[in-house]
Every structure is written in C-alpha cells, then in structure tokens.
Amino acid sequence: MMMPAQIPKLNLIKPDGAVRWPVIGVVGPPNSGKSMLITQFAADPRVGTTYAVEWGSGDKGVLNEYSTAVPDANLYFLGHDSTVQSVYGQILAARELARTAVERGEPPHLLAIDSWSTCWELIKSWTYRRAAEGLLDKSKVPIDPNADLPIGFNLWNDARDRYRQVMNVILSWPGPVVLTCRGEWVSAVTPSGHPDRTHREYSIDAHKSLRYDVTALIRLSDEAAPQLVKCRSQYYPVKPGDKPIELARPINLGELIYDKMRVDPRRAVVPDTSEPLDALPEVVEGRASQVSEGAVIGRGRAPRPEPAQRSSAHAPKPVPLDWDAEIAKALAEPDPPQAYALISELWKAATLSDAAPAVCSRVRAAGEEIRVRLDAHKAATSDEALATDATSDELTADLEPAQPPAAEPEQAPAQTGPAADEQQPAPPRRRRNRVDWGERTATAYRDRNTQALTELAAAASKARASAAVREAIALAQLKVRVLQVAGERDRDWRELVSQDWTQLDAEAAVLGIDLDNALDELEDEDTEQQGESS
C-alpha cells in the first residue's frame, strides 16, 4: 500500500439536513393509471419542463395520448430509436438542461420514463444474443432457437454493469424522477424453491435492485386504492414491514414530494453516483452491438469487433461446414486422442445444428472407428500417460452410451519360475466409465443433497474435470446451502441473505463462487417456477 507523501488536509462538512431529489417508482398492471399520473404531475406549477421517455412497444403512445388530457402540462418527449444507448444519450443531454435550470433558480425539470421495465428487458435480450454469438463462434453452425443457451457469469456481470450505468444517470438527475413499471401479484415461493399457492407476493417487472434505488414506491391497482409501500424520508417514512399508506385518487405527486417529504428545490441534494457520466458511451462496431438493443458500453468485456470489410448494417452469416472434409480430417489425424477430440467437436456441432440425419450417421460411424483406435492406443500405453480427461468424455457423452465396468475374471494361483512371465497373460484393462457431470449435479441439486454434491465435487477434482464443471458443482453447493439454512430458520431465502450476508459471502469465497451469481440464479429459478405455476 502506497502512503501519501504528506498527510492530506482534513475536510469536514457539517450536515444541513437537506433532502435529496427523489426517484418515485410507480408500479401496477396495465390500465391502472401510471401514464396519467405523469401527465398530472407535469401540470404542477412547482415543476418546470417535463422530459418524458416513452419506452416499450406495449406502452408506446399511451403517454402521448394522455398528454392532452391536462392542458397545463408542460411536457416534451425525448426522441430515441428504442435502444438503451439512444435513451441513455438523450437523458444525458436533457440532464444538462435540468442543471442549467437549477443554477438559474428556475423550477426543477421532471424526468419521466414510461415504462422502465423495458430497460432491463432489452439488456437481457442483449445478454442472450451475446451468449448465442459466443456459441456460434465455437460451432460455426446455426443455433437451434429452441435450445437452452448457457449464459456465463461474465455476461450477466456485463449486463448488470450496463444497467447500473443507466440507473446512475437517473439517480444523478437534478430534479424529481418518475419511473413506471409493470407489476402484479404472483404465487409466493417456499424456502425449498417450490411455488406456494396459498400465499401471494408482489412482483415488479424490472431489475431486482429497483426497490433499493427508488426513494418512494407507489403501487397502483385496477381494483383497490393506490398504496404507498415505501418512502425513504424522515418526515413521511414507510419502512419495510410497515403497513402501506393508502392514497386518494387522483394522486398528487407534488404534495407527496414537496409537502410530505419536504423537498426544498433550493437546497435539494443530487446523489453522487461515483461514476464518470459526463460523456456519451462510445459505439463499438461489433456483432453484439449490431444485433442487440441494449448495447450501452460501460465496464466489462466489449463485444468482439467485426472485420472492417464487412458492412455494419448486416449481421454476419454463419459459415457452413464441409462435413465430409471435416470427417476426413478427423480420420486422417495420426494421433488417436487428437482425432477423438476433433470428432467429438464435430459431433457437438452436428447436434447443435439442423444437420441432416445422414450427416449425423457419418459422424457417428467415424467416431466409432476413431474410438476403436483410441482404445487400442490406450491399451498399448501406460495408464498415467494416457488417462482420458473427463472433459473429453463429457463433451461426447452422446456419441456412445456409458459402458458398465467389466467384471474382473477369477485369477489363477500365481506361478513361480522362469516360465511364469510367458504363461500368465496380462490382466484385461478396465474401461474408464464416463461421468455425466451435468446430470449428476442437477439430480443432487433437485434433491438438495449436500453430501452428494460434496462427494461429486471431490470426484470432479480427482477426475480433473473442466473448470466449468467444478464451478457448476460449487454453485449448486452454495445455492443448496442458502436454501437449507433458510429452511432451518423458517424464512425466505431473501431475508436470510439480507441478515447473514457476511457469513454466506465467506462460504461462497471458500467455494470460489460469487454470491451475487448464486442469488441471481435462485431469482431466475423462482421466476421460472412462478411462470410455470401461473
């Protein structure tokens, strides 16, 4: 650790109790009044110009229609092309106008986004496309649109970084902000991860961190009265666990912000986002940025650049494989392990694409021929030098079903003498069984079997399985640990995380897994189970 050349000057600031500019979240089902609430607030005399963003195919045009229902609404739309990058740039440009208005002592400008749910949807779509692109680069063949795509932790980390970059612009807006999101009641989830049809909980169609980012959260309904379910204010507090406050219609956001929460436009604080947000994001000419709708470039790995000679207006087309040439190349490989690796990758490419059945048959026949060569090669070499890597077997588990271990023959009494070596044949070699790591991990995780996962992790380490296999097992161990501890304490796993974060994070560090990634997977599993139950 480098020490400063001299002790810096102490900078003490006495707090003045000023209230920060709030971010108001408005959630509810369609046709519950979210867009009309923005129009009504835009007519408040304590608000200057309202900069509105209509975002999402399902919500576009609604706010434009309602804008004429209130004559005094001073509302303008920010034009964009529906991408995250375009909206991000427009908000940055409008933020400079809002800062100028505050410096001149004018009424603060309002930022309204209808609907904020679109932001995370587009970034998730961008993540799925990046995963498909990465798989396409490896297989060089079209990807089955119905297949499950493996999405790595690095992709989700990039997605969260991009979402956080956009949210930081929202939090740094020098004025009130209103974000609308879709929300509905869904079946609750038990600590074991199964839907509980006897209890219901409210689900917001947005990134899970939205509940923490907003200052106040208003829940609308087409049946019941509006409710204020959260308000981070010392003058009008609604804390977690408190009974929601019912609001009268029409909802007066100006009264909530300026009267109840006591926001003073002359002294209101703009939160420090601790990120450089003064420049528009650069445009990366890559496939991920061309096909995605959420290509905001922030931290993390940028998409692979496209060759300069290709047009950026069109996505690249997959390169078709010459199956006969690739099969001949694998058969002509003199090294049996290398030939087996080539045919395994070719079989994987054939199963992931729409290859003809005749092509799959030729690949399988070539694989069987190479497998015979590999067995003969292994029989003529020592075990230590030719121990088959578990990852090679794992990639080609579909090429040939696993064989049961051969029974050991009864051994005759050992002979002694000079002719012993000639009369006793070498014992038959036992074939090594393939291990379906993915299936065994999924089974142990479904059964919440901690012991089975521990033994599986030890077996994977001993068999020198791939890093991806060991990481998947460790992730399953951590998720089971979170669910089991939550079940022992009869709590929801989300409550457990909020109270025992340090302990769980330490256990995650021992396993070499990021706790956030495990929690994100649990959240995704809850979402899938809720979708299936509904």
Side-chain angles (χ1 to χ4, degrees):
M1 179 178 179
M2 297 183 61
M3 300 299 294
Q6 59 182 1
I7 299 177
K9 183 180 179 181
L10 183 63
N11 184 16
L12 296 178
I13 301 175
K14 188 174 182 60
D16 58 359
V19 182
R20 57 183 286 178
W21 282 114
V23 177
I24 309 297
V26 182
V27 299
N31 199 28
S32 59
K34 301 187 295 295
S35 302
M36 178 59 73
L37 184 59
I38 294 176
T39 304
Q40 293 170 348
F41 188 32
D44 193 297
R46 290 170 289 188
V47 173
T49 304
T50 297
Y51 297 105
V53 177
E54 277 194 318
W55 207 1
S57 57
D59 303 290
K60 197 165 187 178
V62 177
L63 186 57
N64 183 38
E65 178 184 352
Y66 290 166
S67 61
T68 58
V70 182
D72 297 333
N74 185 17
L75 187 147
Y76 291 90
F77 289 108
L78 298 179
H80 58 88
D81 58 5
S82 297
T83 64
V84 177
Q85 185 172 2
S86 176
V87 174
Y88 176 83
Q90 287 297 307
I91 295 176
L92 280 176
R95 188 183 63 175
E96 297 304 314
L97 299 179
R99 286 176 175 173
T100 303
V102 172
E103 294 172 356
R104 294 177 179 177
E106 300 174 358
H109 293 344
L110 167 66
L111 175 65
I113 300 181
D114 186 23
S115 153
W116 181 247
S117 300
T118 308
C119 179
W120 184 236
E121 289 179 357
L122 294 181
I123 294 179
K124 286 193 299 183
S125 175
W126 172 79
T127 305
Y128 293 140
R129 292 174 185 270
R130 282 190 69 190
E133 178 190 89
L135 192 59
L136 177 63
D137 288 342
K138 294 180 181 179
S139 61
K140 303 297 183 183
V141 293
I143 304 301
D144 182 5
N146 299 320
D148 293 334
L149 288 177
I151 302 179
F153 297 147
N154 61 319
L155 299 184
W156 284 123
N157 290 337
D158 289 351
R160 284 193 295 268
D161 288 343
R162 280 148 179 75
Y163 176 84
R164 179 48 50 188
Q165 184 180 10
V166 182
M167 176 55 76
N168 284 338
V169 183
I170 306 297
L171 297 177
S172 64
W173 182 267
V177 178
V178 177
L179 304 177
T180 68
C181 293
R182 294 183 293 273
E184 60 181 349
W185 288 96
V186 297
S187 298
V189 180
T190 62
S192 60
H194 300 288
D196 185 359
R197 300 183 184 276
T198 60
H199 297 84
R200 295 174 67 82
E201 61 184 14
Y202 201 82
S203 174
I204 300 177
D205 189 5
H207 191 269
K208 60 183 180 181
S209 63
L210 178 68
R211 296 176 182 269
Y212 308 99
D213 291 329
V214 296
T215 312
L217 187 62
I218 299 175
R219 183 190 298 164
L220 302 182
S221 174
D222 49 4
E223 299 176 354
Q227 294 180 332
L228 180 65
V229 297
K230 173 192 174 179
C231 187
R232 188 171 54 238
S233 170
Q234 65 166 326
Y235 305 107
Y236 199 59
V238 180
K239 301 178 181 178
D242 293 350
K243 183 179 180 181
I245 299 177
E246 291 193 358
L247 304 176
R249 290 183 184 271
I251 301 174
N252 192 336
L253 288 182
E255 178 183 357
L256 173 64
I257 294 174
Y258 296 110
D259 299 336
K260 301 291 186 181
M261 301 176 64
R262 301 186 186 181
V263 176
D264 186 356
R266 297 168 299 180
R267 303 171 56 223
V269 177
V270 177
D272 181 12
T273 58
S274 302
E275 279 203 21
L277 297 172
D278 295 330
L280 290 175
E282 299 179 359
V283 179
V284 174
E285 294 295 338
R287 273 179 288 185
S289 61
Q290 295 164 8
V291 301
S292 68
E293 294 180 324
V296 176
I297 307 304
R299 299 187 303 270
R301 186 181 64 183
R304 186 183 295 105
E306 189 71 11
Q309 63 270 22
R310 292 189 179 180
S311 172
S312 61
H314 302 284
K317 297 181 179 179
V319 180
L321 278 178
D322 187 346
W323 297 103
D324 294 333
E326 295 295 331
I327 293 174
K329 178 181 177 182
L331 291 173
E333 173 61 41
D335 184 26
Q338 181 64 24
Y340 188 63
L342 291 176
I343 201 65
S344 299
E345 290 296 329
L346 198 59
W347 173 255
K348 179 181 176 182
T351 55
L352 286 175
S353 66
D354 295 330
V359 172
C360 295
S361 299
R362 294 200 299 272
V363 176
R364 179 182 291 274
E368 293 174 353
E369 179 180 342
I370 294 176
R371 183 68 193 195
V372 172
R373 290 168 48 194
L374 180 64
D375 289 342
H377 181 68
K378 290 164 60 178
T381 317
S382 63
D383 291 340
E384 183 177 357
L386 289 176
T388 305
D389 193 358
T391 56
S392 176
D393 290 337
E394 178 189 342
L395 290 175
T396 59
D398 293 334
L399 191 61
E400 182 180 61
Q403 299 292 333
E408 295 193 15
E410 297 182 1
Q411 296 183 0
Q415 298 183 11
T416 59
D421 296 336
E422 299 179 2
Q423 295 179 2
Q424 292 185 357
R429 293 176 50 85
R430 296 180 58 183
R431 280 187 69 178
R432 182 173 181 175
N433 294 331
R434 295 189 182 93
V435 179
D436 193 341
W437 300 108
E439 179 63 26
R440 293 183 60 181
T441 303
T443 301
Y445 177 66
R446 284 195 301 268
D447 298 338
R448 306 294 190 259
N449 193 333
T450 305
Q451 181 63 25
L453 287 172
T454 303
E455 296 175 355
L456 193 61
S461 177
K462 184 178 180 180
R464 296 179 296 172
S466 63
V469 170
R470 298 194 299 270
E471 185 177 6
I473 297 173
L475 182 61
Q477 288 180 283
L478 181 59
K479 292 192 294 182
V480 169
R481 173 63 177 164
V482 173
L483 296 176
Q484 284 185 345
V485 174
E488 293 172 358
R489 302 188 183 183
D490 195 21
R491 296 176 182 172
D492 185 85
W493 64 266
R494 299 174 184 83
E495 300 178 3
L496 177 69
V497 168
S498 63
Q499 298 176 5
D500 300 286
W501 177 272
T502 304
Q503 176 185 352
L504 290 172
D505 194 39
E507 296 184 15
V510 173
L511 294 172
I513 297 296
D514 187 357
L515 181 57
D516 287 333
N517 295 330
L519 301 181
D520 287 342
E521 287 208 1
L522 287 175
E523 192 75 32
D524 294 339
E525 292 173 6
D526 290 352
T527 303
E528 293 178 2
Q529 291 172 354
Q530 292 169 7
E532 294 175 358
S533 62
S534 60

